[in-house]
Amino acid sequence: MALSGFTLALMGIGTAIQTVSAYNQAQAQAANYRAQAQAAEQQAAVASANQRLAEEQASAERKQGYEDMQTKRLEAARIIGQQRAQMGGSGVAVDQGSFLDVLADTASSGEISAINAYNQGIDQAYAREIEAWNYENAANAYRTQASNYRKAASKSSSGAIWNALGTAAGGIASIGTTWGRSTGW
């Protein structure tokens, strides 16, 4: 009978240790989920900041494309002015024949260069907009991930008590069974 009482006492101590351990494990898991949620929120914040930066760069690229187009048009106008001055200095009518063709070719080349400069700016802006969109999607994914971690942490925290109670109930049942066998119940 003394051995039985000693056995029951050891089983009680073991149950208490297992109960505390189950509770602590669940709490540690909850803390881990909270830390992962915080890390995901930080990643979302970085992605959002990168999104804003990419959007600002897209705007700057569009503006630069427009400015480059205007610069190319001014360059073409300056070259046409120089050609007119050179041709006019020779005493020839500049708005006729081959001289007119040269001026038209210069104007055409200048406009093509201007349009190409603008399109290049638009293409670069579009690339930045896609980059911004990708960052936005990443930020949303991180926010979802953080939300899921927070939910898991909440479940784990509330589950800690239930895990501990389940462990305690199992241990008490085992002690009861052992006591019942030792007493003949």
Side-chain angles (χ1 to χ4, degrees), residues 98-147:
S98 61
F99 293 116
L100 183 60
D101 291 340
V102 169
L103 295 176
D105 285 345
T106 301
S108 177
S109 293
E111 187 59 20
I112 289 171
S113 292
I115 289 170
N116 286 339
Y118 181 71
N119 286 338
Q120 183 179 6
I122 293 299
D123 289 345
Q124 290 171 343
Y126 182 69
R128 294 295 184 193
E129 288 168 347
I130 289 173
E131 185 179 347
W133 181 75
N134 289 335
Y135 282 127
E136 178 183 26
N137 287 335
N140 289 335
Y142 286 130
R143 284 187 195 100
T144 299
Q145 190 178 45
S147 175

Side-chain angles (χ1 to χ4, degrees), residues 9-178:
L10 286 177
M11 289 178 75
I13 292 170
T15 297
I17 290 170
Q18 287 177 341
T19 300
V20 170
S21 176
Y23 179 79
N24 287 340
Q25 283 178 336
Q27 289 292 46
Q29 184 64 42
N32 183 40
Y33 284 137
R34 283 190 291 275
Q36 289 175 331
Q38 185 178 12
E41 282 294 339
Q42 289 171 348
Q43 289 172 318
V46 168
S48 290
N50 287 340
Q51 174 192 358
R52 285 187 297 278
L53 179 61
E55 288 169 348
E56 289 171 8
Q57 289 172 335
S59 178
E61 296 285 356
R62 253 192 285 349
K63 180 180 177 186
Q64 186 62 49
Y66 179 79
E67 290 172 0
D68 289 347
M69 177 180 67
Q70 296 299 63
T71 299
K72 293 290 183 184
R73 285 179 174 159
L74 288 173
E75 286 175 10
R78 182 185 50 78
I79 291 171
I80 290 171
Q82 289 174 344
Q83 289 173 335
R84 284 179 166 272
Q86 287 174 350
M87 291 175 202
S90 68
V92 180
V94 294
D95 292 336
Q96 299 177 15
S98 61
F99 293 116
L100 183 60
D101 291 340
V102 169
L103 295 176
D105 285 345
T106 301
S108 177
S109 293
E111 187 59 20
I112 289 171
S113 292
I115 289 170
N116 286 339
Y118 181 71
N119 286 338
Q120 183 179 6
I122 293 299
D123 289 345
Q124 290 171 343
Y126 182 69
R128 294 295 184 193
E129 288 168 347
I130 289 173
E131 185 179 347
W133 181 75
N134 289 335
Y135 282 127
E136 178 183 26
N137 287 335
N140 289 335
Y142 286 130
R143 284 187 195 100
T144 299
Q145 190 178 45
S147 175
N148 290 339
Y149 282 133
R150 277 193 299 279
K151 289 175 187 173
S154 177
K155 285 181 182 179
S156 188
S157 286
S158 62
I161 293 170
W162 290 110
N163 284 347
L165 289 174
T167 301
I172 291 169
S174 180
I175 292 169
T177 302
T178 302

